[in-house]
Amino acid sequence: MSTFPRISLKPEVADHLRSVFLNKEVLAAVGHQVAESRFQKLLTCLSHPPSHTCIRASTHLAPLEEIRHKLAEELEKMCSSSAGEVAVQIVPHPRIPDVLLLPVDGPRPVKQLSSEVVVGAQCGSAVLRGAHVFAPGIVASPKYMKAGDAVSVLSDSEGRCTRGATSFQGNRVFVGNGVAQMDRSAIFCTEEPVKGVGVRMVEPLYQSPSFDGVLPDMAFLQNLPSVVVGHVLGPRPGERILDMCAAPGGKTCHIAVLMRDQGEVVALDKIRNKIGRIRQNAQMLRLRSIKVYCFDSTRAVSSDPTAGAEGTGPHDVHRQTDNNNNTWKYYLCCVSPIPGPPFPPESFDRVLLDAPCSGLGQRPNMSCTWSLKEICSYQPLQRKLFQAAVRLLKKGGVLVYSTCTVTLSENEEQIAWALETFPCLMLQPQEPHIGAEGMLGAGLSPERLRLLQRFSPELTWDQTAAPLPCRADGDTIGFFIAKFLKN
């Protein structure tokens, strides 16, 4: 159901995307009317949140059903103060054994109030996915706002509101009502960085539980395609695996869980202030096989086998009994730990390249202010990373490439380039394969397109009556996955 305007894009970007989704191969296959309809649905669904919240359960710490029960108890406690609140439905995914799905209720009939708080676009998107309004996200509030005031929350979709304003009449989108937790002066008239919840949402337009502090070691918020990536990679105990662009560490931790924390997971990211988040997530989930380095992955290949840097990771023996009474014994010397980056060629059994991208598949996203030059700037970087990934992968190893964008140039065109550039690579079937096949337009054969996995929410935008598990597979963020074997 369409509630918000279509995503706002610069005209040059909108024209470029339209040419992508109405390329010659697509037009020849489905015709202009179908292709145009798909493109318009894409622009609409990108500004709306998915119809579900996806939770990756920490099944290495407890069985799925136990986590589901604990989560239900916690959410019932949160909802107990709301009169007439219906118990939250929690549904296991039928094909992915560590995923729980919660339906999102919306859009709901919420009446807008006269007192308005304006938040940044990123904050507004978080509210649409169940978050409260944290004070740093507030850009405008009534002049005399006090803690306890009922306010409507509106998102500044184009980022034009001046911080500290008392009102704003530009393009804004209503996302729900809440109660101010701070006075205006505590938000804007302080020299210290403002922290904490600024508005507690009580009538969000889209009702979804807030997971702030809820079972942090058991329930990990993650988009469904991001969980699928870990399963497609297929990590096994005792392997050495590289996550090339790892922050904030959700996929890194999932890889370690899937290999039962036996072996070595090397996580690289070149942005230093993101490294701590990876370590924090690993510690919270009690994972000891992860080594984290601040390093540029385009430079991760060394011709010197003795080269390396210090990292952080375990070297001691550790035993742990899992929820099936199996004793895990894991220690990094079982995979002969190598020094940190740069690494010798063919150092890893599996490589995940979740590449930096234009992010045009993220939802909800009401506005993208990037220029066409910025949107198209990622392909060269992705290819540099891909070249490093192939060199670091052992013969017989698996490489998974993924993005959270919808363009051809960052997805199918990269696959066509990779297959031509690296004859040693072969596309492989993916399991699970719950998304659509690859998109026409890059000259790939139908057989190769079927091996790709593109999550295309516009394809199921009108199918609102399907059961939640079926609807969840299609109503995701825009995402792309390709799996290769190195011969």
Side-chain angles (χ1 to χ4, degrees):
M1 179 179 177
S2 178
T3 303
F4 307 124
R6 293 178 299 177
I7 182 173
S8 174
L9 302 168
K10 287 184 178 292
E12 59 182 3
V13 174
D15 290 343
H16 171 71
L17 275 183
R18 188 173 185 276
S19 70
V20 168
F21 278 79
L22 278 74
N23 67 70
K24 291 181 180 179
E25 288 186 47
V26 168
L27 292 177
V30 302
H32 186 280
Q33 184 175 351
V34 172
E36 179 68 34
S37 174
R38 175 178 177 177
F39 176 59
Q40 296 301 327
K41 287 178 182 178
L42 173 70
L43 298 182
T44 299
C45 73
L46 286 178
S47 65
H48 292 70
S51 59
H52 65 279
T53 297
C54 177
I55 302 293
R56 195 189 81 227
S58 299
T59 51
H60 65 300
L61 300 179
L64 183 70
E65 191 56 36
E66 180 180 327
I67 296 173
R68 180 186 179 187
H69 179 71
K70 287 183 177 180
L71 186 59
E73 287 183 336
E74 291 297 319
L75 296 180
E76 284 176 10
K77 291 177 186 176
M78 291 171 55
C79 297
S80 61
S81 60
S82 300
E85 186 71 43
V86 179
V88 177
Q89 180 187 10
I90 306 176
V91 182
H93 192 283
R95 291 185 58 186
I96 306 178
D98 53 357
V99 165
L100 296 171
L101 301 169
L102 289 77
V104 173
D105 178 20
R108 303 160 71 231
V110 180
K111 185 178 179 181
Q112 189 170 334
L113 307 176
S114 58
S115 184
E116 299 177 350
V117 167
V118 181
V119 301
Q122 188 174 0
C123 180
S125 295
V127 169
L128 290 174
R129 299 205 73 171
H132 295 296
V133 175
F134 284 80
I138 298 175
V139 292
S141 74
K143 187 174 183 179
Y144 301 106
M145 185 180 78
K146 299 292 184 183
D149 288 354
V151 295
S152 282
V153 177
L154 295 99
S155 175
D156 173 20
S157 59
E158 296 180 355
R160 296 187 177 182
C161 181
T162 302
R163 179 170 172 78
T166 56
S167 64
F168 176 64
Q169 300 304 317
N171 287 337
R172 61 229 177 103
V173 176
F174 174 60
V175 296
N177 296 330
V179 176
Q181 303 296 295
M182 299 179 178
D183 296 352
R184 173 186 167 85
S185 59
I187 298 172
F188 297 117
C189 303
T190 176
E191 295 181 359
E192 297 296 322
V194 64
K195 298 179 181 179
V197 176
V199 177
R200 184 165 298 278
M201 300 302 297
V202 294
E203 286 186 301
L205 196 62
Y206 283 81
Q207 180 76 56
S208 180
S210 172
F211 282 85
D212 184 32
V214 177
L215 300 179
D217 60 338
M218 292 285 186
F220 194 91
L221 281 173
Q222 197 166 20
N223 287 304
L224 182 60
S226 297
V227 182
V228 171
V229 165
H231 288 283
V232 168
L233 184 65
R236 297 174 183 174
E239 292 183 329
R240 179 179 293 115
I241 297 177
L242 174 64
D243 187 351
M244 296 186 74
C245 306
K251 298 181 184 71
T252 306
C253 292
H254 193 206
I255 291 168
V257 168
L258 291 174
M259 59 195 291
R260 295 164 66 180
D261 214 16
Q262 300 177 48
E264 185 177 35
V265 184
V266 175
L268 304 183
D269 203 278
K270 70 176 183 178
I271 302 177
R272 183 166 296 279
N273 62 10
K274 292 184 177 181
I275 293 298
R277 180 76 182 276
I278 304 174
R279 294 192 184 114
Q280 182 183 18
N281 282 330
Q283 291 168 2
M284 181 178 63
L285 296 176
R286 303 175 225 173
L287 298 168
R288 300 170 56 87
S289 59
I290 296 171
K291 298 185 77 173
V292 186
Y293 302 92
C294 181
F295 201 82
D296 181 354
S297 287
T298 63
R299 300 168 50 239
V301 188
S302 171
S303 56
D304 179 2
T306 64
E310 287 296 319
T312 61
H315 293 276
D316 59 318
V317 178
H318 183 75
R319 289 175 174 83
Q320 176 177 311
T321 301
D322 66 12
N323 53 75
N324 294 315
N325 292 320
N326 296 317
T327 299
W328 298 359
K329 177 182 176 182
Y330 45 89
Y331 44 101
L332 291 187
C333 59
C334 69
V335 292
S336 304
I338 56 176
F343 304 104
E346 301 187 4
S347 291
F348 296 93
D349 300 289
R350 298 173 197 265
V351 175
L352 172 61
L353 174 51
D354 185 46
C357 68
S358 58
L360 287 174
Q362 293 290 359
R363 297 174 61 198
N365 184 7
M366 296 179 193
S367 177
C368 177
T369 59
W370 286 10
S371 68
L372 181 58
K373 182 178 180 180
E374 290 172 307
I375 295 292
C376 297
S377 67
Y378 286 91
Q379 191 185 69
L381 172 60
Q382 291 163 352
R383 292 188 177 183
K384 286 182 180 179
L385 289 165
F386 205 104
Q387 289 169 334
V390 175
R391 292 184 63 195
L392 289 169
L393 185 64
K394 294 178 181 179
K395 292 182 177 68
V398 170
L399 165 62
V400 168
Y401 172 84
S402 62
T403 74
C404 59
T405 194
V406 298
T407 66
L408 272 175
S409 61
E410 298 172 82
N411 295 329
E412 288 83 358
E413 286 182 10
Q414 296 291 52
I415 304 311
W417 165 82
L419 293 172
E420 182 177 351
T421 306
F422 304 103
C424 60
L425 295 182
M426 289 183 59
L427 281 174
Q428 297 295 297
Q430 301 183 33
E431 180 55 42
H433 195 300
I434 60 175
E437 62 183 35
M439 184 175 168
L440 291 164
L444 294 169
S445 67
E447 292 76 20
R448 285 176 167 175
L449 289 175
R450 283 193 288 271
L451 292 172
L452 304 178
Q453 187 163 197
R454 178 185 268 258
F455 289 83
S456 304
E458 72 277 5
L459 296 179
T460 58
W461 176 243
D462 297 329
Q463 299 175 16
T464 57
L468 176 60
C470 301
R471 190 168 72 250
D473 290 351
D475 192 11
T476 65
I477 63 171
F479 206 86
F480 178 85
I481 309 173
K483 180 179 182 179
F484 300 90
L485 180 70
K486 181 178 179 180
N487 288 328

